[in-house]
Amino acid sequence: MNSLIPLLVAAPLAGAALLLLGGPALDRFGHWLATALAALSFGFGLALFSDMLGRGAEHRAVGQHLFSWIPVNGFQADVSFRLDQLSMTFVLLITGVGTLIHLYSVGYMAHDERRRRFFAYLNLFLAAMLLLVVADNYLLLYVGWEGVGLASYLLIGFWQHKPSAATAAKKAFIVNRVGDMGLSIAIMLMFVEFGSFAFDPVFGGASRASEGRLTAIGLMLLLAACGKSAQVPLQSWLGDAMEGPTPVSALIHAATMVTAGVYLITRSAAIFNLAPDAQTAVVVVGAVTLLFGAIVGCAKDDIKKALAGSTMSQIGYMILVAGLGPIGYAFAIMHLVTHGFFKAGLFLGAGSVMHGMNDEVSMRHYGGLRKYMPVTFVTFGLGYLAIIGFPGLSGFFSKDKIIEAAFAKGGTEGWILGLCALVGTTVTAFYMTRVMLLTFFGEKRWQPDAEGNAPHPHESPKTMTIPMILLAIGSVFAGGLFALNDSFLTWLEPVTGHAEGNSPLAPLTVTLLTTACMLAGVGLSYVMYGRSAVPVVPPVGSPLTRAARRDLLQDEFNHAALVRPGSALTATLVYFDSRGLDGFVNGLAATIGGVSSRLRRVQNGFVRSYALSMFGGTLLLVATTLLMRSF
């Protein structure tokens, strides 16, 4: 059964290679081939999952060594895989949700002349993410990490004829390179400290390493997670990434790229557990980002960018609780999985709305669509109820556990984190209710497109609605199944461990507070957007609203804090190089050239001149000799 592990990665990777190299002959069925190979990988995952359930909890981790990648003296890098409860959870999420997004893309990209290439990139994305989560060492994980970055660049910029899409792809690529430097430095530090970058030697030797070295490794891993998971301060790329086709947004936000940072921190639990300063940094990043993303989501009129702010915020919840250590690792992954269902459903629902509205993205130009797109309305609505934490749906169970864990941290820190999480719950309910009201309720505010064509909203084809229905089912039931008898916690405990905190509030009290905050956000949003007409042109708004529309000035901050100083430093180095180093070298060359040109005049080819030179030299030599003898 272990031999199936490499096939998890090989199936979509083969699909990517075939579609990229097969040529136009595959245009007619390439999209179905890619979808079938994604489904095949999901089938392999189910078979491995079934086999894993048949073993005891302590014996479920299995490995598979393929070959030695870099076998040199003192440096051993292997292509080896590790499948345990944590990686299995990600395998099922990536392949399951990924297959549904492939199926949805068949309808969404039906009229795109480059559809074969698009599906090749989707397969590549799945293969890279699967490699990342089943790798048995950090160096092989890094290969998958970079593969995810490459695939995201190709997919975000897929419509590169649009300058905004090309710019967004470059922005995502460059920002993620900053985070990737963190992971590469962390791997180097691991090799120096432990003599290896394989999981078992690193985790086994962590208890013997100095806290300072572990803190440095932890902070570098956090930097990497910030890049891939769009956390402060490397969050600026996520909103612009919405320029890619909507299935790309669903795949990035639900099953692949932004979940990689949460996986990295949870997988590295043995390091963070012994580095409290690094854990604190993780908690702070998560708390700041969950509020940052929620505020941004409140001001966006672009439906996809509002959902992007939501993703940033929800990943912030996961990062926050992962930073709490054994109290929260399992809850971070639980929310990641439930989020995978409802966020994929929300993005696919947004794509369905765009499909029926001539690719219009402004919610101020929607309104009343529930009558024309009933399946989209119901499935999107269930995802909406799940993400705001409506009692009984998936998000209610997973987010409630995160808030309980935040309070269970204890002391002042626990109160601060718990209150931040509750504020995030209120704001999430506010902006997601705003999305629902602007899109599906009220009077229609439809506007003709640039060519003067009025939209005729209609339900999407079955290739698009079936994945939306299946994801909606997961949005409703997944959280309850995970919470039943603490099944998900028990499943992950052999890998992540678990510890009970000391919460000042009873679980029921936390639940009541969370529900009250959620209802307050819904009510406030209804008062502002459900009881009056929505202007097609957005009002000027408060300074905070204007800042939130510009992503809380994150690009301006990056420009002031990084681009301008970097440009100034580059200009200084160029000046020093051209005027200093080059000036010295060029000046020396000019001096030697000038002296040479003058000395060259002595060699004029006349014998009398040479004889005179020899006679003069002889006289000089005799005079020098006589002068020295006189002393």
Side-chain angles (χ1 to χ4, degrees), residues 615-627:
F615 180 72
T618 302
L619 290 179
L620 180 62
L621 181 62
V622 171
T624 303
T625 302
L626 294 175
L627 181 62

Side-chain angles (χ1 to χ4, degrees), residues 30 85 108 141 153 171 184 280 303 308 317 322 325 331 344 366 369 418 453 501:
Q85 292 90 325
Y108 190 87
L141 181 152
Y153 169 77
K171 185 176 183 180
S184 63
T280 300
I303 188 171
Y317 274 103
F331 300 140
Y366 293 162
L369 292 180
N453 299 318

Side-chain angles (χ1 to χ4, degrees), residues 504-521:
L505 300 176
L508 179 59
T509 303
V510 174
T511 298
L512 292 175
L513 283 173
T514 304
T515 304
C517 289
M518 179 269 294
L519 293 174

Side-chain angles (χ1 to χ4, degrees), residues 446-490:
W446 309 340
Q447 303 291 315
D449 60 19
E451 298 177 356
N453 299 318
H456 299 283
H458 55 278
E459 192 56 86
S460 299
K462 290 184 178 180
T463 53
M464 296 172 65
T465 57
I466 290 175
M468 291 158 57
I469 293 171
L470 295 175
L471 290 169
I473 293 172
S475 301
V476 174
F477 296 109
L481 292 175
F482 293 160
L484 185 64
N485 297 324
D486 289 329
S487 58
F488 197 79
L489 178 63
T490 304

